[in-house]
Amino acid sequence: MSEQTLSHTTTTDAGSIPDIDVLEQMYRLMVTTTLADERSTQEAKAGRLQAAFYPVRGMEAVCAALGAVLTPQDRMVSTYRNLGDALAKGVTLRSIMAELYGRIDGTSKGKGGPMHLHDTAVGFMATTGIVGSGLPIAVGLALANQLDGGGAATVVTFGDAATSIGAYHEAMNFAALWKLPIVFICQNNQWGEHTPIAEYAPSVELAKRASAYSIHAERVDGFDALATLHAIETAVDRARRNEGPTFLECVTYRLTGHSGTADFSYVPRDELEAAMQRDPAPTFRTLLIDRGLTTAERMEALDREAEAYVLDAFQFAENSPLPDADELFSDVFADDTWVRSVK
């Protein structure tokens, strides 16, 4: 990637390393996300999923940092590219995979598909298939939290292209005006579907654009798990203290096509190869070993745990029953008595 791509980003502070338990949690989530993502892509290409799948490869470090910081009391709204976000927020991989297969044990009983994962029990409130539409939802959640006395953070994740959507600007303005306890996480993978960011935005540093709303805005290297962790931790703490919103631009690079079945030969080969050199999970693994924080043997054990967890989730999903026909009318209307009256 070019120097401009990752210029003016926050990098790791070598003096602030979390406990090994946190580091292992982050690595486990990265590997799990990578393995589940790759298997889901294979299943999509084979035509065995019930809907399109949108890979998260390249964003694993951002997801791991979110998982290390957020609690069940914090709320999150995500996008259709949501596998890592869902895992970070505590949604089980079994229920995620079952939803991808359209099975009854999925997060939405197999009726929502990968674009509509949610698990309110762990604060994973919604995901949307419309670019940018999650931001006003998250702002509403943050406003409710503020009116209830605060103490928790609302986090909304979105891609770089969402910053060109009207809902983004409305949400940013409202959050700034009301000083809401919200963190805007822009997972900047540098591609708006098939269009590179420089071809649809005159300024490629999105944090600078966000600062125009008088919101604390920061650009962080999204491939650097520790730098991203520190930035998210600071932003979430600020929200929990009711000190207003934060915009974090986490600069990564999409390592796959837009969807699990999409061609991505249009991506410049040199950029993709440079990004693959910083593939989040292997890079983090090397960092932990090189710094003497763990051993190769321990990391291999974590790899095996992740492989077993992913295999179990896919087997569970494949064996889960399809929803019955009567599920067409459940979870649609608030009053099922009214539904029965019109049959």
Side-chain angles (χ1 to χ4, degrees):
M1 288 175 287
S2 66
E3 287 298 319
Q4 183 184 16
T5 300
L6 292 175
S7 64
H8 305 105
T9 55
T10 300
T11 54
T12 300
D13 176 1
S16 50
I17 305 296
D19 292 338
I20 187 61
D21 290 346
V22 175
L23 297 174
E24 288 189 354
Q25 172 192 337
M26 292 175 66
Y27 178 72
R28 186 182 291 108
L29 193 142
M30 285 188 215
V31 174
T32 299
T33 301
T34 297
L35 293 174
D37 189 281
E38 291 175 345
R39 174 70 184 273
S40 297
T41 296
Q42 293 171 2
E43 293 294 281
K45 290 179 178 178
R48 288 190 284 266
L49 300 184
Q50 291 297 310
F53 173 72
Y54 296 88
V56 299
R57 291 287 283 113
M59 292 162 32
E60 293 96 330
V62 182
C63 300
L66 285 166
V69 173
L70 298 179
T71 69
Q73 288 69 43
D74 299 316
R75 293 174 172 179
M76 179 189 284
V77 176
S78 184
T79 70
Y80 52 81
R81 204 177 298 281
N82 53 41
L83 173 60
D85 288 349
L87 289 173
K89 201 60 184 69
V91 184
T92 67
L93 187 57
R94 277 186 166 192
S95 65
I96 295 171
M97 290 303 114
E99 190 62 36
L100 266 62
Y101 280 94
R103 306 304 173 95
I104 193 66
D105 293 307
T107 58
S108 298
K109 300 180 183 178
K111 299 181 291 184
M115 282 191 175
H116 302 289
L117 300 182
H118 83 285
D119 187 346
T120 55
V122 296
F124 195 63
M125 306 305 292
T127 63
T128 69
I130 301 174
V131 173
S133 64
L135 284 99
I137 296 172
V139 163
L141 291 167
L143 177 61
N145 180 25
Q146 185 185 71
L147 294 173
D148 288 340
T154 298
V155 173
V156 56
T157 62
F158 49 94
D160 45 283
T163 62
S164 296
I165 301 298
Y168 160 83
H169 297 282
E170 294 168 358
M172 293 283 284
N173 189 69
F174 192 99
L177 187 64
W178 284 73
K179 296 181 172 56
L180 295 182
I182 188 170
V183 182
F184 297 96
I185 303 284
C186 178
Q187 297 165 324
N188 182 356
N189 66 26
Q190 303 186 50
W191 288 92
E193 195 163 338
H194 304 98
T195 306
I197 185 171
E199 291 187 13
Y200 68 79
S203 172
V204 299
E205 295 194 22
L206 304 179
K208 288 184 177 180
R209 293 166 57 187
S211 64
Y213 290 97
S214 297
I215 286 177
H216 179 85
E218 183 178 342
R219 200 169 200 244
V220 62
D221 181 353
F223 279 123
D224 187 329
L226 295 181
T228 304
L229 172 66
H230 300 325
I232 291 176
E233 192 170 39
T234 300
V236 168
D237 285 345
R238 182 183 296 115
R240 289 171 181 158
R241 295 193 301 268
N242 292 306
E243 294 178 359
T246 301
F247 178 97
L248 293 178
E249 178 191 359
C250 301
V251 183
T252 66
Y253 199 90
R254 199 180 70 205
L255 302 180
T256 62
H258 172 64
S259 71
T261 57
D263 169 71
F264 59 109
S265 59
Y266 55 86
V267 176
R269 183 171 296 275
D270 59 338
E271 287 190 8
L272 184 59
E273 290 176 351
M276 284 299 299
Q277 292 299 314
R278 305 192 67 202
D279 193 355
T283 300
F284 195 58
R285 187 184 202 275
T286 300
L287 180 145
L288 297 183
I289 295 173
D290 288 351
R291 291 193 179 185
L293 298 169
T294 189
T295 63
E297 291 75 18
R298 174 57 181 163
M299 302 310 279
E300 289 169 4
L302 293 178
D303 288 340
R304 290 193 295 271
E305 288 179 16
E307 290 168 0
Y309 183 59
V310 171
L311 178 61
D312 168 79
F314 276 88
Q315 290 177 339
F316 173 83
E318 290 170 351
N319 293 327
S320 175
L322 291 167
D324 293 332
D326 58 8
E327 280 293 335
L328 286 170
F329 293 101
S330 66
D331 308 310
V332 178
F333 299 98
D335 185 357
D336 66 350
T337 302
W338 184 87
V339 177
R340 287 196 298 272
S341 71
V342 298
K343 286 184 179 179

